[in-house]
Amino acid sequence: QVSLLESGGGLVQAGGSLRLSCAASGRTFSNFAMGWFRQAPGKEREFVAAFKWGSDTTHYADAVKGRFTISREDAKATVHLQMSGLKPEDTAVYYCAMSKPLLPAFYSQMYPSRRTYDYWGQGTQVTVSS
């Protein structure tokens, strides 16, 4: 079993920055995907960013491209989401997610889908005030 623990959320003014972290523990895989999703009140959970372990290629939702950066620390089994230029519309609960092993072709098509990911963290609240 895999456990994911997010941290780093909080309250920030518009234009500010936050860094979220997601520490993974438990069973280890290769060729898996890691992603960040977010869910605002009354809205569906939406894709934010992702990458496939072992690849340098990252993917972002259009709404955060150029402002958010996903990165990892292999030795610590930790994934980060650096968020800058935050806007009130970025307010949401942010979730870290991890898949089981994926074929590259599947990942390249399905990385934005919630159904691609098998393990989820409990979420961390990000609130951006105007």
Side-chain angles (χ1 to χ4, degrees):
Q1 187 64 17
V2 172
S3 294
L4 302 175
L5 182 63
E6 301 102 334
S7 61
L11 173 64
V12 64
Q13 289 188 332
S17 299
L18 280 175
R19 188 174 85 153
L20 306 183
S21 297
C22 172
S25 61
R27 186 177 176 183
T28 58
F29 303 114
S30 60
N31 298 314
F32 59 90
M34 292 292 297
W36 286 96
F37 286 74
R38 66 186 182 185
Q39 188 166 15
K43 295 187 177 181
E44 291 194 355
R45 194 170 298 187
E46 64 177 7
F47 169 75
V48 174
F51 68 89
K52 188 171 181 294
W53 212 273
S55 169
D56 293 330
T57 302
T58 54
H59 297 92
Y60 298 93
D62 288 343
V64 307
K65 203 170 292 184
R67 299 188 297 122
F68 291 12
T69 302
I70 189 171
S71 63
R72 65 184 191 249
E73 291 185 71
D74 293 359
K76 296 182 179 180
T78 299
V79 177
H80 303 288
L81 184 69
Q82 179 67 46
M83 306 184 293
S84 60
L86 283 162
K87 305 175 182 180
E89 51 264 44
D90 294 318
T91 294
V93 177
Y94 283 70
Y95 296 90
C96 174
M98 178 178 174
S99 75
K100 293 180 180 178
L102 299 173
L103 293 173
F106 182 87
Y107 168 78
S108 65
Q109 297 278 337
M110 298 301 293
Y111 66 84
S113 171
R114 289 174 292 171
R115 290 175 291 179
T116 297
Y117 300 88
D118 302 283
Y119 307 100
W120 292 83
Q122 83 290 346
T124 185
Q125 176 70 47
V126 172
T127 303
V128 184
S129 63
S130 57

